[in-house]
Amino acid sequence: MSEDKRKLTNEVGAPVADNEHSITAGARGPVVMQDVWLMEKMAHFNREVIPERRMHAKGWGAYGKLTVTGDISKYTKAKALQPNAVTESFTRFSTVAGERGAADCERDIRGVATKFYTEEGNWDLVGNNPPTFFIRDVHDFSDLNRAVKRDPRTGRRSAQSNWDFWTLLPESFHQRTIVMSDRGIPASFRHMHFFGEHTFALYNAANKRVWCKFHFITQQGIKNFTNEEAGRINAEDREFHGKDLFDAIERGDFPKWKLYVQIMTEEQAKKHYENPFDITKIWRHKEFPLIEVGVYELNRNPENYYAEVEQSAFTPAHVVPGIGFSPDKFLQGRLFAYGDAQRYRLGVNYNHIPVNKAKSEVNEYHRDGAMRTDGNYGRAPAYTPNSEGVWSAQPEVAEPPLSIEGAVWRFDPKDDPSDDNFRAGGNLWRILAEDKKAILVANTAADIAPVTENIKYRHAVHCQLADPEYGERITKALGLDYIKVLKLAKLNNTALIAATIL
Ligand code: HEM
């Protein structure tokens, strides 16, 4: 480092004479206002905290690359998904419920948000480690977060609100089962899969669309912690997962995932036995096999946590030609929510922050706004259409039109006869080995222990509806009456809620 670079300056480059002693009137007298460097130092410090993400507040990030090894060009024209393409990226892992200072090894789902800096603009895939979700209508999202975050009276997390909300929405059953299983506390981010979860669209050079789900399968193998192991680790090192990722990358042990897609044609989707756009449903691998796309690797740590990890901003709304949205009403809600949160959290020009900035050319008509730190497009016209011919729209990238049918209405998926909220959870139970079943039952019993009995019955009934063995074992572990569970299991959802309300 040159001598000049080691010298302290103020915020506009002037030399600072002293950074440790306030200017006072006399050796024991008061501080004077003309100590402007002191004022600046305190004022900046007071403004150094930005709002945390409303959920997924605690997280860790790393840079990487996607290398395409397969050939899915018949499904998508996205350049980043063409054979042999290599695309740089940034990924942030997170827990959901905990605030910015929460411990890493909590029982929770893990968020995995990736920004691919493609030559056609940024593509963000904002997913989680399970392939499904608790809810499926965007209306329920803020409520989910209220239920899993802090109780308004006590300021503490509340198992009661958590389980009350979950069990009132039977569509959360599959996800409840996953979170209570051994996968609810991964041993590290490196040792878990992650998924785009929603159904997305892919369309090819001929503008033919298929539906698609993204799967990232860990090449490190799955490893999880028990409640006891996690409790010990949280007491010793609250940043355990962040350290694990950072250390692995520093020592050159780059974590890798294989990226696969599942593909469903538009025709198959019309005939599918359940709603293929419902995020609480999965597509079975037997019916929609995994198709290899490439290898995803993380290989570089950020230089500055705040600049790169805290200020990173992802949104499912960022797609590139060849990748599109599906009619999933949950995804549709997310398309608005992220940018809106980031305009509040980071400011309207958040896409200018280096970690968020596209590496491809950006030409848009957005102007001005707080912290506009580039040239603001200088003298280029700020309106369109204009006679200078900048910047013209690119109709050749338009997505194929999507036909829809039906009335505009507040549809309740429970009225759809094909809606089965327990099929996937039951299938999961049946493929678990005996030791995993025992862990799932024990974790559930521990987690639900502080909750009132009416809610325990609701969960036990859902387990029963998924698989009688699951129902019986949960009933026993929760100390409930199995005859009562069997009786309640005959009721429809509305009657079950009525029978289990306090
Ligand atoms: C309608 C449902 C949802 C809404 C409204 C919603 C909204 C949000 C918002 C506002 C943030 C904070 C963004 C920020 O401050 O930068 C966030 C973070 C996040 N969400 Fe969602 N979310 C929804 C569902 C989901 C689902 C289904 C997934 C996974 C498939 C998901 C994954 C994530 C992840 C990984 C983050 C953290 C991103 C990061 O690391 O910066 N969310 N969500």
Side-chain angles (χ1 to χ4, degrees), residues 175-189:
Q175 179 86 318
R176 250 183 274 160
T177 297
I178 295 173
V179 177
M180 290 302 132
S181 78
D182 60 331
R183 296 199 183 185
I185 315 179
S188 84
F189 298 132

Side-chain angles (χ1 to χ4, degrees), residues 95-98 106-110 129 134 179 183-186:
T95 47
V96 180
E106 292 187 343
R107 181 168 299 283
D108 197 350
I109 56 175
R110 275 20 186 211
N129 68 332
F134 290 107
V179 177
R183 296 199 183 185
I185 315 179

Side-chain angles (χ1 to χ4, degrees), residues 129-426:
N129 68 332
T132 180
F133 204 65
F134 290 107
I135 50 175
R136 54 186 167 184
D137 193 306
V138 59
H139 254 297
D140 295 325
F141 186 73
S142 47
D143 303 279
L144 168 70
N145 285 287
R146 298 259 161 71
V148 304
K149 281 177 166 275
R150 292 180 187 269
D151 177 81
R153 180 172 185 211
T154 63
R156 300 196 302 265
R157 301 255 196 101
S158 159
Q160 177 77 10
S161 330
N162 212 329
W163 282 95
D164 186 33
F165 181 81
W166 285 350
T167 53
L168 286 168
L169 296 174
E171 62 267 35
S172 72
F173 179 73
H174 186 201
Q175 179 86 318
R176 250 183 274 160
T177 297
I178 295 173
V179 177
M180 290 302 132
S181 78
D182 60 331
R183 296 199 183 185
I185 315 179
S188 84
F189 298 132
R190 298 179 298 128
H191 294 94
M192 62 184 205
H193 306 324
F194 56 94
F195 304 88
E197 290 192 15
H198 294 279
T199 300
F200 290 89
L202 294 180
Y203 52 97
N204 64 15
N207 249 14
K208 170 111 181 98
R209 176 192 289 111
V210 290
W211 305 116
C212 148
K213 283 191 186 273
F214 294 101
H215 300 247
F216 289 79
I217 303 299
T218 176
Q219 300 303 290
Q220 289 68 241
I222 296 274
K223 276 194 204 159
N224 302 304
F225 284 142
T226 61
N227 279 343
E228 293 67 34
E229 287 167 328
R232 234 182 2 259
I233 290 166
N234 281 338
E236 284 165 13
D237 180 0
R238 298 165 65 77
E239 332 297 345
F240 184 88
H241 283 164
K243 182 173 185 318
D244 174 89
L245 180 67
F246 188 92
D247 289 354
I249 293 175
E250 285 300 287
R251 66 174 181 264
D253 179 8
F254 301 145
K256 291 187 183 56
W257 289 261
K258 270 204 172 167
L259 169 60
Y260 296 89
V261 286
Q262 282 179 295
I263 299 291
M264 188 186 283
T265 64
E266 289 190 287
E267 296 68 36
Q268 284 173 313
K270 282 180 195 143
K271 289 189 232 131
H272 194 52
Y273 53 82
E274 54 192 0
N275 179 0
F277 308 118
D278 176 341
I279 191 172
T280 63
K281 308 287 188 284
I282 52 156
W283 300 356
R284 301 197 75 187
H285 292 192
K286 269 192 225 149
E287 298 162 49
F288 300 95
L290 297 184
I291 301 169
E292 185 181 319
V293 179
V295 178
Y296 187 55
E297 171 187 284
L298 292 176
N299 52 27
R300 180 163 62 89
N301 281 316
E303 281 300 307
N304 184 283
Y305 180 86
Y306 179 84
E308 294 154 86
V309 184
E310 193 59 16
Q311 293 201 110
S312 59
F314 307 83
T315 166
H318 285 163
V319 289
V320 291
I323 303 171
F325 314 122
S326 79
D328 175 345
K329 58 176 117 178
F330 205 57
L331 173 61
Q332 297 280 329
R334 294 180 72 201
L335 301 182
F336 163 74
Y338 288 72
D340 186 52
Q342 288 146 8
R343 283 184 281 273
Y344 161 68
R345 181 166 72 82
L346 300 163
V348 69
N349 286 312
Y350 66 95
N351 280 315
H352 295 206
I353 297 169
V355 67
N356 300 326
K357 203 170 156 55
K359 296 200 191 302
S360 60
E361 174 104 12
V362 178
N363 291 323
E364 35 145 21
Y365 286 100
H366 294 336
R367 291 290 194 285
D368 312 347
M371 299 307 293
R372 181 90 207 198
T373 54
D374 63 358
N376 202 22
Y377 292 113
R379 63 177 64 180
Y383 61 91
T384 178
N386 62 63
S387 301
E388 292 190 28
V390 295
W391 289 288
S392 42
Q394 306 179 59
E396 65 280 9
V397 303
E399 257 189 79
L402 178 67
S403 304
I404 50 166
E405 55 189 39
V408 174
W409 181 243
R410 294 183 185 279
F411 290 97
D412 183 345
K414 288 196 273 301
D415 298 334
D416 174 349
S418 76
D419 189 44
D420 181 342
N421 290 311
F422 307 110
R423 180 189 285 127

